[in-house]
Amino acid sequence: MESSARPHIVVLMGVSGSGKSTVAGMLVSTLGWDLLEGDDLHPPANIAKMHAGHALTDEDRKPWLEAIARWMSQEVTAGRSAIVTCSALKRSYRDVLRGSMIGHPDAVLTFVHLTGSREDLQRRLTARMDHFMPPGLLDSQLQTLEAPSPDEHIVSIEIGPPPGEVAAATLAAIRAHS
């Protein structure tokens, strides 16, 4: 279990199918940090909407993002480091998550954007079982995605290599930001 003097929150972001949960699981087993699967905080109405093939609106996402931010704030208040999976598709969504660090000047927040080609993402979504997010919503997510701007200082990692290599690159990025 790795620890640092300062609590560190890592948000693994990207569209559905980018491997957030897979990479998060590998990181948690290495780091021993807490994990929040952002999807677990979606209200039932959001899950039903996505399952039916309808994209979420900003209004749909707002309470979900606020719940994730509250969880992040609780973690740093308790002095714990954690991994969070959240699509964080727009800068305004990432800003809600950044708000969780207000009042925690010693905490570190790192966004890692897992990114890949539409073809790779579609292939992953099609192969995935038992998830409420249908592959048909990929294009909606890609259209909603606002690429991080340089002033956001977000690490981007390509998902083409095997998951272990993606996790290793992500771990190196986390350590560089500690």
Side-chain angles (χ1 to χ4, degrees):
M1 181 168 174
E2 290 191 23
S3 64
S4 65
R6 309 181 303 166
H8 192 155
I9 303 294
V10 175
V11 177
L12 295 176
M13 62 170 281
V15 299
S16 190
S18 61
K20 298 180 295 289
S21 295
T22 300
V23 171
M26 292 176 177
L27 294 174
V28 166
S29 69
T30 299
L31 297 170
W33 294 359
D34 290 346
L35 170 65
L36 172 66
E37 285 282 356
D39 284 346
D40 291 346
L41 295 184
H42 269 300
N46 283 8
I47 293 171
K49 188 172 184 177
M50 288 183 281
H51 188 69
H54 303 290
L56 297 179
T57 65
D58 289 353
E59 187 176 303
D60 294 328
R61 288 184 177 101
K62 186 176 184 218
W64 171 65
L65 291 164
E66 290 170 344
I68 293 171
R70 278 191 303 277
W71 187 90
M72 291 166 57
S73 182
Q74 291 167 356
E75 288 292 292
V76 295
T77 296
R80 293 188 296 260
S81 294
I83 306 290
V84 176
T85 63
C86 175
S87 55
L89 298 174
K90 290 184 177 182
R91 183 185 186 119
S92 62
Y93 304 168
R94 298 186 290 271
D95 288 345
V96 170
L97 301 178
R98 284 186 191 97
S100 68
M101 298 294 114
I102 294 172
H104 305 288
D106 292 334
V108 178
L109 175 62
T110 304
F111 283 89
V112 177
H113 182 200
L114 300 178
T115 184
S117 71
R118 185 199 180 288
E119 294 74 25
D120 283 345
L121 293 163
Q122 185 69 46
R123 180 181 40 77
R124 288 170 170 229
L125 284 172
T126 302
R128 190 161 71 173
M129 304 299 252
D130 298 327
H131 195 276
F132 59 81
M133 180 74 166
L137 287 179
L138 175 60
D139 288 332
S140 167
Q141 285 210 326
L142 290 170
Q143 289 167 359
T144 302
L145 177 65
E146 292 176 0
S149 61
D151 69 310
E152 289 187 272
H153 307 288
I154 293 176
V155 177
S156 290
I157 296 181
E158 174 62 41
I159 63 165
E165 290 179 32
V166 174
T170 304
L171 184 58
I174 293 168
R175 289 179 172 151
H177 286 91
S178 291

